[in-house]
Amino acid sequence: MNDRSPPIRHHRKALCGALALFLGGIGAHRLYLGARWWWIYPLLALPAMGIALRSEPWYRHPAFFVATLVALAAMLEAIVFCLTPDEKWDARHNPGSPRRSTSGWPEALVAIVALVLGATLLMSVMAIALEGWVRAMGVR
């Protein structure tokens, strides 16, 4: 009788952060971590973006802002994941794993890219929203 249990998965911070950065809108990072509610991300972002893309101009539609909030939340999570101390990361996401996480340049680079892209996206969306608000107020 074979009594071998499956090997325990070791979740890497850099990979989780990269998934949050590039595929966070569809919840890939949460799926990677085995989160129960990972499907909330695509449930919010994909229909919102689909609705926004069917209107003119798509980047002014309120649904675009909903999809953007999901993407910004995922980018923030990428930063938090990459900057979490190794001991805390292993205690939360790698319990029972014989391997230990060691942070290095990959985590730092993913966090930097997430910060730069997230700040750029946030400022761009805020500029679009402010422009729309100023137009609605009739200010010239």
Side-chain angles (χ1 to χ4, degrees):
M1 190 164 166
N2 192 349
D3 213 14
R4 298 180 73 194
S5 60
I8 297 172
R9 256 182 96 173
H10 184 80
H11 298 102
R12 296 183 353 220
K13 288 195 302 185
L15 178 58
C16 188
L19 286 171
L21 175 61
F22 297 113
L23 297 173
I26 59 172
H29 59 297
R30 291 293 179 178
L31 182 61
Y32 172 70
L33 291 175
R36 181 183 305 174
W37 299 97
W38 70 270
W39 50 269
I40 294 292
Y41 285 83
L43 183 70
L44 293 174
L46 295 178
M49 201 60 189
I51 291 168
L53 289 174
R54 296 184 74 195
S55 66
E56 274 300 316
W58 61 270
Y59 54 86
R60 292 191 195 280
H61 195 280
F64 171 71
F65 295 102
V66 171
T68 301
L69 284 175
V70 174
L72 286 170
M75 288 182 192
L76 179 63
E77 283 186 312
I79 296 168
V80 170
F81 290 156
C82 288
L83 298 181
T84 300
D86 293 333
E87 298 79 25
K88 188 174 179 182
W89 176 263
D90 286 335
R92 181 160 187 185
H93 299 291
N94 295 319
S97 174
R99 295 175 55 194
R100 293 290 155 231
S101 298
T102 54
S103 294
W105 280 107
E107 290 82 8
L109 292 175
V110 169
I112 290 168
V113 171
L115 179 62
V116 170
L117 290 178
T120 303
L121 179 62
L122 180 62
M123 288 187 288
S124 301
V125 169
M126 287 175 60
I128 292 168
L130 183 61
E131 179 189 11
W133 180 72
V134 168
R135 280 188 185 189
M137 298 299 289
V139 179
R140 291 187 185 249

